[in-house]
Amino acid sequence: MVLDKNLIIILIDGGRVDRAMRSPIFTNLQSKSVFFPQTITYAPYTNAAMHALFSGCYGNRNGTYSYWHTYRFKKNKFKTITEYLKDRGYFTCGDGHTKLIVPKHGFDEFHIHDENKDDLSKRHSNLIDLVKTKNDQGSRFFLYLTYSNIHTGIKDEVLKIYNNFSEEYFQNKTINEKRYDRFFSKAENYLEIILKKIQDLGLYKNSIILIISDHGISVGEKFGERAYGSFCYDYTIKTFAYLISNDLTPREISSQVRHIDFMPTILDLMEIKLDASYESLDGESLIPLINGSKFEENIAYSETGNPWYGKAPPKAPNTKSVRTSKWKLIFNEYDNTKELYDLENDPDENNNLINSGLKIEEFLWNELTEIQGIK
Ligand SMILES: [Zn+2]
């Protein structure tokens, strides 16, 4: 029975799962968390990924399915985790580098930081002090924090310098890796400070903490995508999540899970019932999986708008994928081509097995068609 715990969500924007898995700070977390190394995002860019995470629903249903659709979120049909907690009397507070990244409904306070200037460790430590004060005054809290500086570094040193077809970028993978690692190590420092703050204030015992990435970032794996948001390959759609609560036994979950599953999981942990006056969720609680009872892996759906030669991403998704732990089918709507990958034997997705007579192709295509039909 876990009633009325605080909730802290920390987004490491653009955090790659391979880097997390070799980081001492992140791997240390595994001893106290349920670790999901195969967490699939709905969209490999921030706003649609986070709207899906907050609502437990894919963007093709909740309305936020492109960079341009933050304000198209169907707030009367989809209730966010923030709103659930607000209804329960929580103090709800968020911080991000733009107001566009998460649905704002239900937040008492949403702060915007200057990603180029602000010291996020200090700023977020202060916010943790603030919510602790609310706790001491008898109110539970939900705190959402964005660590935006990986994104900031990539914006300044990759997005502004190269385009998706700059030969120089794709020919210098080692430089790209080192650049990314430099940004990631700052994220590690940040996380270390924030987790110590949570520890020092004694918040582990009465909080559920989710540390998550919205999408990975390319280091030059596939020509045509210098950062993220163009394709649906695993180096961007496969991310990490660490769920911490003292009623969960730390373990690693090898199955694929989806961003949309975390909202229902947190509600389940808090024993909060879904509000029947809203639409049903795409996500499912992961508690049965965490507890080791039988759990059938769900298909993960992702989509994005490949800008190709254009400067801005298109207004509707044109690249879509369905994925299991073992297989992925990609549908490139813009040129009507498909790709099929055996993720177990070809994790870098280099060997396209489409039209090679594999039964899984039809199965995944049907799944994709079905999810599209919901729109
Ligand atoms: Zn992001």
Side-chain angles (χ1 to χ4, degrees), residues 11 13-14 44-47 97 101 151 214-215 228:
L11 170 67
D13 190 329
Y45 54 94
T46 314
N47 69 319
H97 58 293
I101 47 173
H151 148 90
D214 49 351
H215 54 81
Y228 54 89

Side-chain angles (χ1 to χ4, degrees), residues 91-157:
F91 171 69
T92 51
C93 176
D95 187 73
H97 58 293
T98 134
K99 59 181 177 159
L100 299 173
I101 47 173
V102 298
K104 251 51 85 295
H105 327 292
F107 274 108
D108 290 311
E109 295 180 8
F110 198 90
H111 304 274
I112 308 295
H113 63 247
D114 183 335
E115 59 179 311
N116 299 304
K117 289 193 192 132
D118 287 334
D119 177 340
L120 297 179
S121 311
K122 204 186 270 177
R123 184 182 171 94
H124 290 174
S125 294
N126 291 341
L127 286 175
I128 296 169
D129 280 327
L130 169 77
V131 293
K132 167 70 171 143
T133 317
K134 299 284 178 184
N135 239 183
D136 293 342
Q137 292 164 353
S139 156
R140 293 298 181 202
F141 67 79
F142 167 39
L143 179 64
Y144 164 74
L145 302 172
T146 311
Y147 178 77
S148 56
N149 287 169
I150 298 177
H151 148 90
T152 311
I154 294 294
K155 183 186 69 175
D156 291 342
E157 295 186 31

